[in-house]
Amino acid sequence: MSRSAIQTLSVARVIGDVVDNFNPSVKMTVIYNNPDKQVCNGYEFMPSNILSKPRVDIGGEDMRTSYTLIMVDPDAPSPSDPYLKEHLHWIVTDIPGTTNVSFGKEIVSYEAPKPVVGIHRFVFILFKQRGRQTVRAPALRDCFNTRTFSQDNNLGLPVAIVYFNAQRETAARSRRSN
């Protein structure tokens, strides 16, 4: 991840609202299959195209290194009043490096983004685990806190982050995107 990618995350307040400043060290690729479209920082996705969980490929050191992936919406229910932030959309743990999330353990099932008001950021955060460990699933999806989760599960700072934007589809926009 380049210096400009970190600046993009800072300008979009992903660094600050969701995580602290970090040093990216692992390549992570997120691709939604309807149609095949890679997530890049700040790109907009239509909610109708992100109903199914994406393919997430992890670079990493080797298959002996494990990772935890979290997906959150820090703008729930509305960017102007995000009192439910962060809304948790997905957690997968024990993902072996150099593979993808399908080899991990899904502890919170994927919930498709459905923004109601405003433009929401949906953030994928990858943590390197300290060996095989038990990562506890949170009790609730609303008011999740990535920093607290990381501390409680001894995950440290993220090793990769990417985010996209989405907003509610109007009927006209939905018809045009099909």
Side-chain angles (χ1 to χ4, degrees):
M1 185 177 269
S2 69
R3 170 173 248 129
S4 65
I6 290 293
Q7 288 174 328
T8 300
L9 293 170
S10 294
V11 169
R13 296 181 341 271
V14 170
I15 294 175
D17 287 354
V18 181
V19 297
D20 296 322
N21 204 8
F22 71 103
N23 183 23
S25 58
V26 173
K27 183 177 180 185
M28 174 175 63
T29 305
V30 180
I31 299 173
Y32 278 97
N33 294 323
N34 184 20
D36 282 354
K37 190 171 179 185
Q38 182 173 338
V39 173
C40 294
N41 288 330
Y43 281 27
E44 183 172 352
F45 282 74
M46 304 300 286
S48 59
N49 293 335
I50 52 179
L51 295 174
S52 300
K53 60 184 157 187
R55 177 183 172 98
V56 181
D57 294 318
I58 309 298
E61 299 164 14
D62 56 46
M63 289 188 67
R64 293 173 293 179
T65 305
S66 297
Y67 296 88
T68 293
L69 176 74
I70 298 171
M71 179 185 176
V72 297
D73 173 1
D75 301 315
S78 156
S80 62
D81 186 19
Y83 65 88
L84 297 176
K85 76 173 180 185
E86 303 161 27
H87 182 80
L88 178 63
H89 283 270
W90 196 23
I91 297 180
V92 182
T93 65
D94 298 326
I95 307 163
T98 70
T99 66
N100 63 59
V101 294
S102 66
F103 292 95
K105 178 181 172 188
E106 189 175 65
I107 64 169
V108 175
S109 62
Y110 179 79
E111 179 183 271
K114 295 178 184 135
V116 178
V117 176
I119 299 171
H120 290 241
R121 298 164 293 165
F122 293 92
V123 185
F124 293 91
I125 307 126
L126 186 69
F127 293 95
K128 180 178 176 181
Q129 292 177 204
R130 312 228 189 290
R132 293 282 180 184
Q133 63 190 71
T134 301
V135 176
R136 295 178 300 276
L140 302 171
R141 288 184 185 257
D142 286 333
C143 301
F144 179 81
N145 185 293
T146 298
R147 289 179 181 96
T148 301
F149 182 82
S150 173
Q151 289 171 351
D152 291 350
N153 289 284
N154 195 28
L155 295 172
L157 291 173
V159 294
I161 294 177
V162 67
Y163 84 98
F164 67 91
N165 295 317
Q167 60 185 310
R168 181 176 175 206
E169 286 182 65
T170 63
R173 279 180 87 186
S174 181
R175 281 193 302 272
R176 274 187 277 140
S177 67
N178 289 337

